[in-house]
Amino acid sequence: MAAAGFRTRRVKVEGVSIGDRLKRSRTRKKLSIGDVEEATRIRAKFLLALESDSWEQIPSEVYGRGYLETYATFLKLNIEEVMRDYDKMRSVYARHCQEGRIELTPKNTAFIPRFMVTPKILMLVALSIGMLGFASIIGYQLRRYAAAPYLELISPAEAKGEAGPGLVVNTESLTVTGRTVAGAVVRVNGQVAVVGEDGGWSYQLSVTEGVNPIVVEATGPSGKTTKEVTSVIVK
């Protein structure tokens, strides 16, 4: 229980505080706390509390007044003046408390955000971004693997339609070229064509007089196939 209801460490009315007056008087007399304790029978921790105006360390107001009066008498201070200042200090404290100008417990004015960015959080964010990127790549590869492969017929470029007149040529062989995805297997009229690392492919096709259908198929790793059909006319 705090003496005199004080919960602040130092309350000054004006000039030097009571605690400072006690300490200065003791040091001028070249007395130690131990000397005063032995002479007054007041425990050292309470003497130090009086000297530092730490009234909350005194068991009660009755003890506080009694200790203060005994200590001041031992130091040969003006008892009436000391006790008058003590009562004045109590009055100032009570008035300030009523006006809300003294806080019993200091406020922590430092702003503590609810969310703080720490190295651990940054590492988790970076790891999450990395995992999302990796998952995106895997997803793309899986979709690419599962879908029918891309197939483009580059030449003969002028040949149109499976049943149309097609391109008219005068040759016994024709180079068929195009593009697909790397890893796909390309067949031209059932025969395997050479596919490069960039997906480009070509096949030397033998043709005969008349209409020559050209069926190009690209089969991906998933087994799905993309087909392009055209024809050429040989005269």
Side-chain angles (χ1 to χ4, degrees):
M1 177 180 177
F6 289 106
R7 295 305 297 270
T8 60
R9 287 194 173 275
R10 301 179 73 84
V11 178
K12 293 183 181 180
V13 177
E14 57 183 19
V16 180
S17 72
I18 294 174
D20 287 337
R21 222 178 306 169
L22 295 172
K23 185 174 182 179
R24 290 180 183 182
S25 179
R26 175 178 63 80
T27 54
R28 279 198 301 267
K29 296 177 185 297
K30 298 182 179 180
L31 295 171
S32 67
I33 289 294
D35 295 332
V36 180
E37 182 180 29
E38 185 177 353
T40 61
R41 302 298 181 187
I42 300 174
R43 295 174 63 180
K45 69 176 184 177
F46 296 136
L47 294 171
L48 292 172
L50 291 172
E51 288 188 355
S52 61
D53 297 300
S54 299
W55 305 100
E56 77 278 2
Q57 297 182 21
I58 308 298
S60 69
E61 181 182 351
V62 174
Y63 279 102
R65 294 184 68 90
Y67 289 162
L68 177 59
E69 188 171 354
T70 300
Y71 195 2
T73 300
F74 173 74
L75 294 174
K76 294 183 172 49
L77 298 177
N78 188 320
I79 301 301
E80 292 184 1
E81 182 181 339
V82 171
M83 299 312 295
R84 184 172 61 249
D85 287 347
Y86 175 78
D87 290 334
K88 190 183 297 184
M89 181 174 57
R90 286 188 58 220
S91 176
V92 170
Y93 176 81
R95 185 172 67 253
H96 286 194
C97 282
Q98 289 176 357
E99 294 173 358
R101 291 161 58 186
I102 292 182
E103 295 180 359
L104 301 185
T105 304
K107 281 187 177 180
N108 181 6
T109 57
F111 172 73
I112 302 177
R114 294 184 178 180
F115 179 77
M116 296 182 65
V117 178
T118 63
K120 184 177 181 180
I121 291 177
L122 290 175
M123 183 179 66
L124 290 174
V125 171
L127 183 61
S128 299
I129 293 174
M131 292 180 66
L132 285 174
F134 179 74
S136 298
I137 293 173
I138 294 299
Y140 170 76
Q141 294 294 343
L142 288 175
R143 289 193 300 272
R144 185 178 178 186
Y145 177 87
Y150 163 77
L151 176 61
E152 177 186 7
L153 185 60
I154 297 176
S155 67
E158 296 83 354
K160 304 292 182 182
E162 181 176 4
L167 175 67
V168 178
V169 296
N170 185 12
T171 181
E172 294 182 353
S173 65
L174 183 70
T175 301
V176 183
T177 62
R179 292 192 188 91
T180 187
V181 296
V185 177
V186 175
R187 291 181 172 83
V188 179
N189 289 353
Q191 303 298 314
V192 177
V194 177
V195 180
E197 293 182 357
D198 61 350
W201 57 268
S202 65
Y203 182 78
Q204 196 69 26
L205 178 68
S206 297
V207 292
T208 59
E209 186 177 352
V211 177
N212 292 260
I214 302 174
V215 179
V216 181
E217 296 176 311
T219 304
S222 65
K224 293 186 177 180
T225 299
T226 302
K227 181 189 291 187
E228 288 287 345
V229 178
T230 186
S231 64
V232 293
I233 301 174
V234 179
K235 288 190 176 180

